[in-house]
Amino acid sequence: MLLDRVDLTITAEPRGEARDAAFEHALEVLRERRDEFRDQGYVPKDFVNLLKKAGIYRASTPETFGGEPEAPTDFLARIEEISTIDPATGWVASFGSALVYFSALPRETQQKIYAKGIDLTFAGGMFPMIEAEKVEGGFIINGEWLFASGCAGADILGVGLRGGPETEGRPLTALIHPEDVEIVENWDVAGMRSTGSNNVVVKDLFIPDEFTFIRGGTPNIDEPLTRYPALAYAAQVLAVTALGAGRGALDYVREQGSSAVSVVGGAAKGNRPVYKLGFAHAEAELRSARAFFYETTDSVWQKALVGEEITAQDKALLRLSASHAAQAGRKAVLAAFDIAGTGAIYNTHPLQRYLQDGLVPAQHAMLQENTFEAGGSVLLGFEAGIPSFP
């Protein structure tokens, strides 16, 4: 059975100084090892365990089961900080939010899972949604799924199944043990390489009904974080990695631009008009997008705390702020690349990490340009026009 093989012996440090120190230690290790992660194409389990000690993977475990759920702003800020060092590792860490999906599992199943431990890493490939064979008590699944980000360090994996009349057409997620999948190492990409978003293959595997749930379905646990819009949160945790990438890139060009003289002995590079203008515009735009992002998050979170209705327009604003953040992060890393000069074209240049990773979030289906149109439609009172929005 799935849970018989899940090992959740690594736990977070106690809240307060010990956990803060664990987070700072993880950041120090990341600075030393980020090139290693990129070269091998995934964030390894031993580093994921450092993030567990820092509390990242209990941040969405329900309080009902002993978890310590974090307010979205607090969690997002930590992912942003990780991403200023390495956006791809920030992407993997962002799935510390993914247990909000588990709230749609039967309550008894959740209780069994969290009885094993509350520091749980979940990853998976949701697409394409496969038509599974329905049998008594569950499903027989066969298929290959894409983009299983973080699968190398996961305790439990999920794969997407096509829904039917019983789910009103909404897709299902089936939970499986990592030992029951074949990881196809085909993640040959320029950006977000360390996420290890390889394909996963499953053959003739039985999944009990109680280990399936509707992604974004009605929660069976009522807590503030389960009231917060799950699909919007999924977009936000990815978008914030772009804010981190933009911050890391602009911090680099600010430091370089402040040097006394250029390499050829002339005026400091940063004292040139094009450098100052490019940096200032990018700084203003990134900070503005960040303010919109966190302001909207806090506004909706206050509603979740008191159980006030979260409207479609609230959700649309969350989605807009996330898409805008992804675009602003992209623009910031491109601006940094532009003003850095010729040296930035080398693969070994520090900006390449932020450039290559920072372009990716806005490419994600949840953050692409059509989400702006959909958000505008909802705010104007029309149908969104795309699935699973807002």
Side-chain angles (χ1 to χ4, degrees), residues 281-303:
H281 279 299
E283 188 73 27
E285 290 178 14
L286 185 69
R287 287 176 180 264
S288 298
R290 188 178 187 274
F292 175 34
F293 182 80
Y294 284 111
E295 174 191 307
T296 308
T297 302
D298 287 337
S299 175
V300 177
W301 177 242
Q302 289 305 309
K303 288 189 170 186

Side-chain angles (χ1 to χ4, degrees), residues 252-267:
Y252 175 82
V253 296
R254 178 175 56 192
E255 179 183 336
Q256 295 300 303
S258 299
S259 60
V261 294
S262 73
V263 294
V264 293

Side-chain angles (χ1 to χ4, degrees), residues 25 37 69 80 288:
H25 174 64
F37 298 169
E80 183 182 11
S288 298

Side-chain angles (χ1 to χ4, degrees), residues 173-196:
T173 298
L175 301 184
I176 56 182
H177 194 275
E179 292 175 356
D180 291 329
V181 309
E182 175 193 354
I183 295 177
V184 180
E185 296 184 359
N186 63 342
W187 189 238
D188 184 14
V189 292
M192 292 290 182
R193 175 165 166 74
S194 301
T195 64

Side-chain angles (χ1 to χ4, degrees), residues 313-356:
Q313 293 211 346
D314 291 328
K315 296 175 186 177
L317 284 171
L318 286 175
R319 296 295 301 269
L320 279 178
S321 70
S323 296
H324 184 52
Q327 295 283 352
R330 169 186 274 192
K331 290 177 181 177
V333 297
L334 286 170
F337 180 74
D338 284 345
I339 64 178
T342 306
I345 68 174
Y346 286 91
N347 284 327
T348 55
H349 194 278
L351 278 180
Q352 282 294 326
R353 169 178 292 102
Y354 300 114
L355 178 68
Q356 294 175 22

Side-chain angles (χ1 to χ4, degrees), residues 22 25-26 29 33 45-55:
H25 174 64
V29 173
R33 297 183 63 189
K45 187 76 170 180
D46 68 298
F47 186 79
V48 169
N49 286 341
L50 294 184
L51 295 176
K52 281 190 177 186
K53 288 180 176 295

